[in-house]
Amino acid sequence: MKTTVNKWFALIIVLTAPLLYVIDIFIINIAIPTIKTSLHATDGEIQLVIASYLLGSACFLVTGGRAGDFLGKKKVFFWGMLAFTFTSCICGLSQNAAQLNIARFFQGVSSAFMVTQSISLIQILFPNPKERSVAIGWYGITLSIAAIIGQMLGGYLAETNFSIEGWRLIFFINLPVGILSLFTIHIYLKETPKMQKAHFDYKGAFVLTLGLAGLIYALTEGREHHFPWWFYLLLLLSLLQFAFFIIIQRKKLKNNGHPLIDLSLFKLKDFKIGLFAVLFHFMLHTAYLLIITVYLQSGLGVSALACGMYFIPHAVFFMISSIAAGKLLPTYGKRILQLGLCIILVSFLLQIFLFTNKNIPFVSMLFLALYGLGNGLVLPFLLNMVLHNINEKDAGSASGIFSTFQQTASALGISIIGGIFYTILDDSGNSKNYLLALQIGLTAGIFCLIIVWVMLYLLPGNVGNKNKTTHGID
């Protein structure tokens, strides 16, 4: 790919996609209590504000990546960024929770198209392995910086009121950044060659989306309505959709077609074990960020701005430990990840036994920092576990499956563990209930931690020794 500008400047343009994507995860987490009050949303509806974004992204990650092959990466990157900017504004204009959740779903869909192109463009911009390694490193650093920006902006904007409510600015802030990014994409990036033989699996994407949407909606809204008949019907229909999805994927694979997910990869034992680790780790991670935010703001009365500041040590320690782990992983392999899980376990146990109904800023920030320290040893390197025994020709498909599992797991964590948390709460808003809900939510997280640790134990001892470190979303 030839460009008229320095490729490192082009990298800055490309990194705007993951920057905006991650900011919109963390900026919402901090502002959730404010949004709930403003829109008079139920607990289930407010869970969907996060889950629908992750769900939209999960359903179209594989399709988004292939769209760049078929239509050209610059074109898909440009239109994905445009759609993300537009849907962000629709989110900011939403008048009720239903409108916001629909807009958030399509915001997630658009993010799947732009983020997948950013990863592909880095590979094209930097054919030299050493330079590519540096560029991917900056990709990971961008995700950490985005987390810090999101947490600080979420707290600040949620408490800021101009002519409109402050939480709406959380979405409108994407407008100037998006416009600038669109301009630079159009002017400075060149189009990539198109693969004429690339094909979309529209049917597979549609069936998978229906199945996931039904499952997530049932888990979040069913609890709100005391598990009525349609809750069980949606669960059944979702299972049928997943079964149908597997059937059509196998049929496409058998007929040498282009399935959305290459099911032949699931014959690899280590690949399946790695995906189970991904599933349970991202469930606990995303759910924890939600429940600790609600506990601090609604349970202890911490302001949105102060809550955002509480999370800064978490992001900083995540960045420090992930950099250190990147150097240690080739030597110590999966033991680095297991050490990280043990640190997270200590953090959760300390929070269960030492958190009280009173706000103690230093203690809260210390426990969050400890969680970030442990998570930095785990989350960015789970991809190494999944791709360890994958052939180079299957790396793209395996990465797509990994990303889909990651986002789906995050949505499930919000729905299941977040649902357990909200079930403990009552309308009285008693701070003791928030503490109990946090403790039970953390206990569910510990259960997930144990499963992840066991999955890593079952993997070969040298997993991670290959120099493939790739950063994930923190």
Side-chain angles (χ1 to χ4, degrees), residues 328-350:
L328 295 173
L329 196 69
T331 302
Y332 297 100
K334 67 179 185 181
R335 284 175 288 180
I336 295 298
L337 284 81
Q338 290 174 316
L339 173 62
L341 292 174
C342 291
I343 294 174
I344 295 174
L345 175 61
V346 171
S347 173
F348 281 6
L349 289 174
L350 289 174

Side-chain angles (χ1 to χ4, degrees), residues 100-117:
L100 178 58
N101 284 324
I102 293 172
R104 281 284 283 174
F105 174 79
F106 286 104
Q107 188 188 29
V109 172
S110 61
S111 74
F113 285 85
M114 70 174 188
V115 171
T116 50
Q117 304 317 309

Side-chain angles (χ1 to χ4, degrees), residues 147-212:
I148 297 174
I149 293 174
Q151 288 156 357
M152 293 184 65
L153 274 180
Y156 175 74
L157 293 177
E159 294 190 348
T160 300
N161 287 285
F162 295 107
S163 57
I164 60 174
E165 295 172 288
W167 69 265
R168 297 184 185 276
L169 297 175
I170 286 172
F171 297 105
F172 290 133
I173 196 90
N174 291 336
L175 180 60
V177 180
I179 291 174
L180 179 60
S181 180
L182 288 168
F183 174 78
T184 54
I185 292 169
H186 177 69
I187 298 297
Y188 296 112
L189 294 186
K190 295 294 184 181
E191 188 55 276
T192 59
K194 303 175 184 178
M195 293 176 58
Q196 299 299 327
K197 293 184 179 180
H199 297 282
F200 287 127
D201 182 8
Y202 293 107
K203 187 176 182 180
F206 178 72
V207 173
L208 180 61
T209 301
L210 282 182
L212 289 173

Side-chain angles (χ1 to χ4, degrees), residues 56 75 110 124 138 142 150 166 208 212 239 243 252 257 259 283 344 377 424 427 432 448 461:
K75 179 182 291 185
S110 61
I124 297 173
W138 277 106
T142 298
L208 180 61
L212 289 173
L239 293 176
K252 280 182 174 289
M283 279 182 62
I344 295 174
L377 300 176
I424 306 302
D427 295 333
K432 291 183 179 180
C448 293

Side-chain angles (χ1 to χ4, degrees), residues 288 292 346-355 367 371 442:
Y288 172 71
I292 192 64
V346 171
S347 173
F348 281 6
L349 289 174
L350 289 174
Q351 291 176 65
I352 289 173
F353 292 110
L354 297 184
F355 265 150
F367 293 161
Y371 175 77
L442 290 173

Side-chain angles (χ1 to χ4, degrees), residues 203-225:
K203 187 176 182 180
F206 178 72
V207 173
L208 180 61
T209 301
L210 282 182
L212 289 173
L215 177 63
I216 298 301
Y217 186 83
L219 291 174
T220 51
E221 286 294 304
R223 179 190 55 80
E224 287 285 339
H225 297 85

Side-chain angles (χ1 to χ4, degrees), residues 36 41-48 220-221 223-224 422 425:
K36 179 182 177 182
T42 65
D43 292 335
E45 288 172 334
I46 212 65
Q47 286 175 266
L48 283 173
T220 51
E221 286 294 304
R223 179 190 55 80
E224 287 285 339
Y422 279 115
L425 301 180

